[in-house]
Amino acid sequence: MLSRSLAISFVFAIFSTTAYAENTGSVLAISTDNDLFAPTQTDRDYTAGVSITYSSNSDGFSNNVFSRATGNIDQRLLGGFFQLPLKPVSTALEFGAYGFTPEKIEAKTIDRDDRPYSSLVYISSSRSYQQPGSGAGWTTSLTVGALGLDVFKSGQNTIHKAIGSERAEGWGHQISEGGEPTLRYSAAYHQYLNASQPDRKFKVTYFGSVGYLTEFGAALVFRDGLISSPDNRFNPELMAYGERAPSVSTPGGREDYFWGGMSVKARAYNALLQGQFRDSDHELGANDLNILLAEVWAGYTHSFWAGTELSYVLRVQSSEIRSGKGNRTLAWGGLVLSKRLGAS
C-alpha cells in the first residue's frame, strides 16, 4: 500500500506540471542498474535497481509539494550557515526501487556469513543551487520510502523466471520484512575547478547524508569530450546505489563524452545491512561493517536525436562487510535513457 501511495504521489506531481514540459530544461529519464551489466556478471550484493526521474528548471515545477518540503529543510539546515540561495536553478523528482541479495539465492535458509536480503522503494526530491558570483554550488535531496516490501522480490523473480535463472528464495528474511518507513536527507557542496574548459570539466564535491544511509565524504569528478549539459545537473558522485535524482544530466545540444571519478567516504550507518527499528531475521551489526569505503566509476554519454541521450556507467565499490562471504568488492553497471521534453 505504501509503495502504491508513493507511485501515485509521484505521477500526480509529474502530471500536475506538464504545462512546463515545453521548457527545454525539462527532462524525463529511465534508469536501470544490474550487476549483470558489469564484467563480473554476478547476481549478488547490489543486484539491480530501476527508476524514473523528471527534472526541470521551471519555477512551476520547483513549487511542487515535495520540492517545497526539501527547500524548507535546506533553508533551516544550510541557509543560515552557508547563505544558500532561496531559489534553486533546477529540481527533480524520482520514483524507484532497488535491492540486495546474498551470493546463494537458491537457499531458503539464512546464511549468517553473508549479507542479508534487503530492498527499498522510494520517492526522492532534489534541488540544485548555484552560488552567485562563484564557481560553486549545492545539491540537496530528501528521500522517503519503505524498506522490506515485496515489490523488488516480485520483480526480480518475474525476470528470473522469464530468462530461466534461479528463483531468489530468501526474501522472506529480508530487512524489515513486510515494510517499514524510512527516509534520508543529503547535501553536497560542489567546487568547480579552474582547470575546467568547455570540453573538459573538473569538480570536487563534499557530501553527507543522514537517515537510512548516514555518511560523509569527498569526490573528484571529470567529464571529457563534447559537452552541452550544465555542470550543476551532472552529479554521478551523489548516486546512492540506484538513487539518481540529483545525477540526471540535461541534454541541451549534441553530447559525446567520457566521464568518471572517485570518492572516499566514512559511513556510520546503513539500514540496508543493519536494519532499522524493527527486528529482522538477519541483520549485521556496526562491528561487522567497514567504516571507510572507496568507490570509482567510469561512464560514457552519447546524444542521438531530438534531445535524447544514452549513458552507461560501471561502478566499483570496496567491500562494505569486514569478514565472511560478504567481504567482497561490489561491481555493477547502469544504463540511463533521457529525453529533453519539448525538443523535436
Side-chain angles (χ1 to χ4, degrees):
M1 183 64 69
L2 180 55
S3 61
R4 182 180 299 176
S5 298
L6 289 171
I8 292 172
S9 299
F10 176 81
V11 171
F12 176 78
I14 296 300
F15 278 94
S16 65
T17 55
T18 53
Y20 306 99
E22 291 183 0
N23 187 314
T24 56
S26 298
V27 174
L28 188 65
I30 298 174
S31 311
T32 183
D33 296 315
N34 204 299
D35 45 12
L36 295 175
F37 295 163
T40 52
Q41 295 283 296
T42 60
D43 191 11
R44 65 190 186 196
D45 301 317
Y46 173 42
T47 184
V50 63
S51 64
I52 180 169
T53 309
Y54 179 86
S55 60
S56 178
N57 59 15
S58 73
D59 292 338
F61 185 68
S62 68
N63 199 40
N64 72 74
V65 61
F66 299 105
S67 184
R68 290 201 308 271
T70 308
N72 288 336
I73 297 174
D74 294 344
Q75 294 304 322
R76 289 178 182 273
L77 295 182
L78 304 175
F81 297 98
F82 301 104
Q83 297 181 332
L84 196 71
L86 291 174
K87 181 179 177 181
V89 293
S90 66
T91 58
L93 274 180
E94 178 172 291
F95 178 72
Y98 56 89
F100 302 80
T101 64
E103 184 169 17
K104 300 296 184 182
I105 63 172
E106 68 276 10
K108 294 183 179 181
T109 56
I110 298 173
D111 187 348
R112 302 287 178 184
D113 202 36
D114 207 339
R115 70 182 305 134
Y117 284 81
S118 58
S119 65
L120 176 69
V121 179
Y122 68 91
I123 185 168
S124 181
S125 170
S126 66
R127 292 163 70 95
S128 177
Y129 303 90
Q130 200 70 31
Q131 294 282 28
S134 71
W138 286 86
T139 301
T140 64
S141 66
L142 176 66
T143 304
V144 295
L147 301 164
L149 299 179
D150 285 342
V151 174
F152 188 85
K153 163 193 170 182
S154 300
Q156 182 186 38
N157 283 328
T158 297
I159 293 173
H160 279 208
K161 182 178 180 180
I163 64 177
S165 294
E166 293 177 335
R167 179 181 174 85
E169 297 287 359
W171 278 108
H173 304 295
Q174 70 171 313
I175 295 289
S176 301
E177 166 64 12
E180 183 180 11
T182 192
L183 60 83
R184 180 175 73 102
Y185 175 79
S186 67
Y189 176 77
H190 311 283
Q191 185 66 51
Y192 304 104
L193 303 182
N194 292 332
S196 296
Q197 302 173 12
D199 61 350
R200 188 170 298 165
K201 305 285 188 178
F202 298 92
K203 69 172 175 175
V204 173
T205 297
Y206 306 94
F207 58 88
S209 69
V210 292
Y212 56 82
L213 290 178
T214 298
E215 61 188 18
F216 65 90
L220 175 65
V221 184
F222 77 90
R223 292 193 283 174
D224 192 308
L226 180 61
I227 301 169
S228 63
S229 53
D231 293 332
N232 67 284
R233 291 170 75 169
F234 180 79
N235 302 303
E237 72 278 21
L238 301 185
M239 285 182 58
Y241 301 120
E243 298 170 49
R244 279 188 167 89
S247 312
V248 174
S249 63
T250 307
R254 292 283 301 172
E255 293 200 301
D256 186 48
Y257 60 86
F258 290 94
W259 46 281
M262 61 182 299
S263 68
V264 178
K265 51 193 168 187
R267 179 174 291 167
Y269 172 63
N270 183 349
L272 294 157
L273 286 167
Q274 296 173 257
Q276 209 169 232
F277 303 108
R278 289 182 48 189
D279 290 332
S280 301
D281 292 346
H282 179 33
E283 56 189 40
L284 303 181
N287 293 334
D288 298 319
L289 305 180
N290 291 314
I291 296 176
L292 294 179
L293 301 173
E295 186 175 354
V296 295
W297 60 90
Y300 173 67
T301 294
H302 182 74
S303 62
F304 295 94
W305 60 93
T308 301
E309 276 188 0
L310 181 64
S311 298
Y312 170 79
V313 61
L314 173 64
R315 306 183 79 94
V316 179
Q317 180 188 281
S318 62
S319 177
E320 299 173 313
I321 301 173
R322 286 186 177 180
S323 61
K325 294 178 183 177
N327 179 15
R328 53 185 176 249
T329 301
L330 281 68
W332 68 92
L335 294 169
V336 183
L337 180 65
S338 58
K339 165 68 175 174
R340 187 177 78 247
L341 304 181
S344 59

